[in-house]
Structures are given as structure tokens and as C-alpha cells.
Amino acid sequence: MNRLRIPRAWFALLFGLSLFMLASCVVTDGGFPIGIGYYDPLIGEYGGWGPDYRVGPPRQGASRQEYRGEHTPARGYRPAPAGHSVPSIPSRGHSESSRSRK
Amino acid sequence: MQTAIFAVAPRSISVIALKRPRSVQSPGAAVYPHATHNLIARLLTVVFSVLTAPALIAQPALAQPVQLSAFAQSTQLSALVTPSSSEHHVGKVVLVELITPDIAVAKQFYGALFGWRYRDLKVAGDTYAEATLDGQLVAGLVHRPVAVGARRQSTWLTFLAVRDVDATRALAVANGAKVLLAPHTVPNRGREAVFADPQGAVFGVLESGSGDPYDELPDHGEWIWSSLSTTDPEANAGFYQTLFDYDVFELPAEHGARHLLLASDNYARASANTLPANRPHSPPHWLNYIHVEDVAASSARVLALGGRVLVEARMDRHGGRVALVADPLGAPFGLLEWPDAQSKEITR
């Protein structure tokens, strides 16, 4: 019975290539993760906004909360200077900007 | 033996293709291997392809892995801004990514709702889809399975612009944040990291390699606004102010709550609100809002497409309606009308 004879050099080369390919599959710090495997806890607690719960952006010049002694003043952050008006979101549309849309 | 080698070839090729040094890489960040290693890897890949070509011809079903160029191209994410801009807007929400256990369902839902189109990629073993509108990048969709029995839900992850991710990481950690995903370079996109703020809300930062998007009013179907609901808006505002140098304005709010506005470059970027009192178990979280023409109509469309309405359409402080909805996989996001172009650039 004839046996298939593979030259040792070829076998070594193929074996080496196999090891290299397998090693390449191991992503250490050479790869980069896309996004993150983060999921929020499943709580079903989103929403519940009361009638005065506002989340949207203000219009330009919207009134700021004035300190009336009924709540504590700013804590933990530096308030914008009193003379600064409340900003809004950008008004300039795509067509008015230098951005070119495909 | 041969079959086993073929099975690993596609992944190997993708890793090799992704290991190119990028110009956006920060000095000293040894993320990608040396050029010599890259060259050797390419040579070996060519040798491997030549050696195995006869077997591929004999087995057509295995032929796909050697389509090197096409596969390599599909692993490259798009730049954030095309063509590149010289704009930099620290603290602006510049990217939103959906983490979902069923990317096919998500693509169908958002495509039908907003007209998004997709470019599919395989990156480092992950299935990723870039959503575009009129050819511009709108969002990223990441497929990530949920472990059986894990009580977790899909979510949109908010990325804020920074100039230096590594410096931001140091600042964030020094101020009580946790690092969920360490700073790393994403070829063609930039450098990014993901943190949990001191109250637990999860957010990302992105140092774009192509500049930041222009400050302009988003079209319908694009992200227009972001809000943070948290247990302590003041402390949170201070944290984000430290990171992004925000101007913080306090806005009128109901009794016992705080509504703060975070602004940079004289533009409103996000709001920080006290979590609703009747949701004591809700974790602090970011929400992002899509600009729509008619919130009520879009809410109805969400229902028709298998999603849910969490907060019905209602008037908000800007004189337009807003609603909170969830996609069929449960990821919450907002819908927001901006009735006209009354907002103006601020001159101080």
C-alpha cells in the first residue's frame, strides 16, 4: 500500500503557517473593540415625566432660573455668569453651511 | 487540516488589515504593531494563498475567504466627517451608537422610521452597521448578543467630542468616573473611550480624526438633542463641566427638581435633569433625540413598526413637542420637533 509522502519542509511550512494564522486570531492590544458590550439594566423605568418635566433645548434667550430663596444655590458646578443669555441649538441649516452633502 | 486553516483565514486577514498605523494615533500609544510585523504578515498571507489556491478551486464553497481586498475594505469604519473638517467642538454629541442583540431588526426599524441606509462591516469579529442619511454618517449599530438569562436591554450610547481622549480619561477618573472601555484607536474614526460618570450614567468620548461635525441644525432623521437624567444633576453638571468646560445654566423646573443646561461654543449641547420622582429605581442615563417633523405621527409609526411609546407626545420648553419611545429591542430614544428656525447664534 502506497503512503502519501509529504516532504518535511512542506509540512513544517504548513504547520508554521497554521500556527501563525491561529495566533493572528488572538486580538490582544493590537485589535480594537467597536462600541462596548454595554447594556442597561432591564428595569423598564424610563419615562414617568411629570407635567413640568422638560428635557428639550431652550430657545435663545430663554429665562434662567432665578434664585428666590426657595432652593439652594448652585452646588457642584460654576454657573454661567449672570449676564450671559441662555443659548440654543444651532439654527444654520446644512445648505447654509460649508458642509457639502452627498 | 486544510479546512481548519481556511476556517481561520478570514479573521486573520481582517486583523492584519486593521493593524495599519493611523495618523490619529496618539504619541506613545502602542496599539498597533510595527510595520515589519505587518509586512511579514502580508507576505505570509500571500504565500498561504498561493499554496492553497488549488484546494480552493477544488472546493468552491471555501473560495470566499481569499477575496482579500474586498474583505479588507469592508472592515474600515467611515470617518466621522466627510470631507474632513477643521472644526472642533469639545462637549458636543458627535456620535451615537446602538448596542443591540438583533441588528437586522434594528436596521429595519430605523430604516423604515427615518430613511436611514446602511453600510455593513465586520470589524474585529463584531457585526457593525453604519447608518447614513443623504450620505452622511448618522449612527453606528453594534450587534452584541445578550447572555441567556441576563436582564439587560439594548441602549444607545452617547459620544461627546474631546481633543485628547487620554487626558480626558485621567480627568474623568480623578473626578470619580469608571473606565468601561479604555482609550483605543479606531482606524479611520479616531480615538475613543467609554466611561460611567460618578452617578453611573454611561457615556463615550471621541477624539475624531476628521474633525467634528459642523454646528448646524440637523435635518429630520438626524440627532438633534441629548439629555441626562440623573440622581444629582448639580454634581453631574460639575463633573461634565470639568471634562468639557461647559457653561452651565439653570432653567426653571418643577419643585424639588433641577433642570440644567450644558453649553459650549455658545450653543446648547445637552440638559441635565433630576430623575423623575416616580422612577426611583431608574439608573442615571443619557437619552438622545431625533429631529422629526411631527412627533405624534412618528410615535404612531414607532408603534406600527413594533416599538413602544414610553412618554406620549407633549409640549416642551422650546415650543415643540417631544416624546420618548423605544425600538422593538427596547432601546429608548427621543423624538423632538423643532418647529422653525427661531434659534439663533449667541453673541455675547
Side-chain angles (χ1 to χ4, degrees):
Chain A
M1 184 177 174
N2 291 332
R3 284 192 165 185
L4 181 62
R5 297 177 69 91
I6 302 174
R8 286 186 179 177
W10 278 99
F11 181 80
L13 179 60
L14 278 174
F15 184 71
L17 281 171
S18 304
L19 285 179
F20 176 80
M21 293 298 178
L22 286 170
S24 297
C25 293
V26 179
V27 178
T28 54
D29 62 344
F32 59 88
I34 296 298
I36 183 175
Y38 173 76
Y39 283 98
D40 276 337
L42 185 59
I43 48 161
E45 287 266 339
Y46 292 101
W49 299 350
D52 293 322
Y53 197 78
R54 307 280 189 236
V55 296
R59 293 288 184 180
Q60 189 224 342
S63 61
R64 297 173 65 171
Q65 176 71 54
E66 294 176 4
Y67 176 61
R68 298 187 295 271
E70 58 192 39
H71 66 266
T72 55
R75 172 184 60 81
Y77 68 92
R78 288 175 284 105
H84 289 188
S85 60
V86 177
S88 186
I89 60 174
S91 61
R92 185 177 58 173
H94 294 319
S95 58
E96 302 166 63
S97 75
S98 55
R99 168 181 165 184
S100 61
R101 308 211 64 163
K102 292 176 184 176
Chain B
M1 179 69 178
Q2 269 190 339
T3 303
I5 295 171
F6 279 110
V8 300
R11 180 67 178 272
S12 306
I13 291 165
S14 72
V15 172
I16 290 166
L18 293 169
K19 284 180 175 176
R20 293 175 189 158
R22 311 303 299 182
S23 59
V24 293
Q25 186 174 330
S26 297
V31 176
Y32 296 100
H34 307 296
T36 308
H37 176 268
N38 212 355
L39 181 61
I40 293 171
R42 286 165 183 275
L43 286 172
L44 285 172
T45 304
V46 171
V47 171
F48 177 78
S49 302
V50 170
L51 287 173
T52 54
L56 286 176
I57 294 169
Q59 301 177 57
L62 298 173
Q64 193 175 353
V66 293
Q67 296 172 355
L68 291 178
S69 59
F71 190 86
Q73 285 170 6
S74 71
T75 61
Q76 284 280 0
L77 270 67
S78 298
L80 184 66
V81 182
T82 308
S84 298
S85 81
S86 57
E87 304 265 322
H88 292 285
H89 302 297
V90 172
K92 176 179 180 172
V93 174
V94 290
L95 178 67
V96 187
E97 280 186 343
L98 176 69
I99 317 299
T100 179
D102 194 331
I103 199 168
V105 169
K107 284 168 63 179
Q108 187 173 11
F109 174 80
Y110 292 101
L113 192 58
F114 301 124
W116 292 357
R117 306 185 74 165
Y118 302 99
R119 174 173 169 258
D120 297 318
L121 303 111
K122 273 278 188 186
V123 182
D126 286 323
T127 302
Y128 189 95
E130 287 183 344
T132 60
L133 192 64
D134 295 337
Q136 293 291 332
L137 182 67
V138 180
L141 279 61
V142 186
H143 177 84
R144 198 62 56 86
V146 180
V148 176
R151 292 182 56 76
R152 298 280 160 173
Q153 73 168 43
S154 180
T155 188
W156 281 98
L157 183 59
T158 308
F159 283 85
L160 298 144
V162 296
R163 295 297 295 263
D164 185 331
V165 168
D166 299 273
T168 303
R169 172 206 170 128
L171 207 50
V173 170
N175 284 275
K178 291 179 182 174
V179 178
L180 301 185
L181 190 61
H184 58 279
T185 301
V186 179
N188 218 32
R189 179 63 58 79
R191 195 159 166 76
E192 66 178 29
V194 179
F195 309 113
D197 71 25
Q199 272 67 46
V202 176
F203 70 102
V205 294
L206 175 63
E207 176 189 336
S208 170
S210 55
D212 294 327
Y214 293 97
D215 272 328
E216 51 194 13
L217 184 66
D219 283 341
H220 294 145
E222 296 181 336
W223 301 102
I224 188 172
W225 187 241
S226 300
S227 71
L228 171 67
S229 294
T230 181
T231 50
D232 190 342
E234 291 180 292
N236 253 144
F239 170 79
Y240 288 101
Q241 186 177 55
T242 301
L243 263 58
F244 306 117
D245 197 26
Y246 283 133
D247 288 327
V248 181
F249 298 82
E250 181 165 7
L251 301 174
E254 71 272 25
H255 181 71
R258 283 289 167 90
H259 290 184
L260 302 175
L261 176 72
L262 309 178
S264 67
D265 303 327
N266 295 333
Y267 287 119
R269 301 298 188 194
S271 66
N273 295 358
T274 309
L275 275 164
N278 59 353
R279 291 294 188 272
H281 303 299
S282 180
H285 57 272
W286 280 90
L287 286 172
N288 301 283
Y289 301 76
I290 293 275
H291 187 196
V292 297
E293 186 173 8
D294 185 328
V295 163
S298 293
S299 297
R301 186 87 175 122
V302 166
L303 287 173
L305 291 168
R308 289 182 297 136
V309 175
L310 307 176
V311 175
E312 298 281 354
R314 52 190 285 163
M315 292 300 290
D316 205 280
R317 59 166 68 95
H318 63 286
R321 287 178 297 179
V322 64
L324 184 61
V325 298
D327 70 19
L329 286 314
F333 65 99
L335 303 169
L336 191 143
E337 295 172 353
W338 192 254
D340 52 43
Q342 288 179 4
S343 65
K344 293 177 181 174
E345 293 180 60
I346 308 301
T347 303
R348 286 184 176 173

